Amino acid sequence: MEKVARVRLSVDEAMEIILVDKPISRQILLDMARERFGNMVKAVVDTEQGVMAIGGGLHADEESYLLERGSLQENLWGINLHPRRDLPELVEFDSVINIRPRQDNLSRDVEEPSIRDRVVEIVGRLVQ
């Protein structure tokens, strides 16, 4: 895990965005969820590089983080991770960054089954 970016959430609060390119424990996700949203962690998955960014207050923060590191926007998909659930329910496809008319994705969901499968596969490999 590489902690590189700090995102300012308010005057006295900041959240680190973490690049997950090796397996991360579910306990870390549970701790992050408790600190921020209660039961979930926002994440953006790069379906080409097989990595994800976690820890941002918005999916757009994680998307920017990955774009700055060479990811292509067309390969980035926003999800919510529910660490108390098992796959595939661990992954919730719901993010504004997923609305992409040019890729025929017209909702916050990920409509293409092959992309959904790839995201679940990557999460399954990275979340232990």
Side-chain angles (χ1 to χ4, degrees), residues 62-76:
E62 296 154 342
E63 179 184 45
S64 293
Y65 174 88
L66 289 172
L67 288 170
E68 290 170 4
R69 282 152 186 78
S71 292
L72 299 176
Q73 203 277 329
E74 66 203 32
N75 299 324
L76 301 180

Side-chain angles (χ1 to χ4, degrees), residues 2-3 5 16 19 27 37 43 49 53-54 68-69 73 78 96 103-104 112 114 124 127:
E2 172 189 338
K3 292 184 181 179
E16 288 180 318
L19 175 66
Q27 187 59 52
F37 300 105
Q49 295 185 28
I54 61 174
E68 290 170 4
R69 282 152 186 78
Q73 203 277 329
V96 171
Q103 285 181 265
D104 294 324
E112 174 58 45
S114 64
V127 177

Side-chain angles (χ1 to χ4, degrees), residues 7-54:
V7 177
R8 181 153 294 297
L9 300 173
S10 68
V11 175
D12 47 76
E13 181 182 13
M15 187 77 167
E16 288 180 318
I17 294 178
I18 301 169
L19 175 66
V20 181
D21 57 356
K22 295 179 177 81
I24 185 173
S25 78
R26 199 174 285 251
Q27 187 59 52
I28 291 172
L29 294 178
L30 284 165
D31 293 343
M32 289 179 79
R34 256 191 303 279
E35 289 177 22
R36 288 296 290 141
F37 300 105
N39 64 349
M40 62 99 169
V41 174
K42 292 181 184 273
V44 173
V45 176
D46 182 325
T47 56
E48 183 65 29
Q49 295 185 28
V51 300
M52 67 181 174
I54 61 174

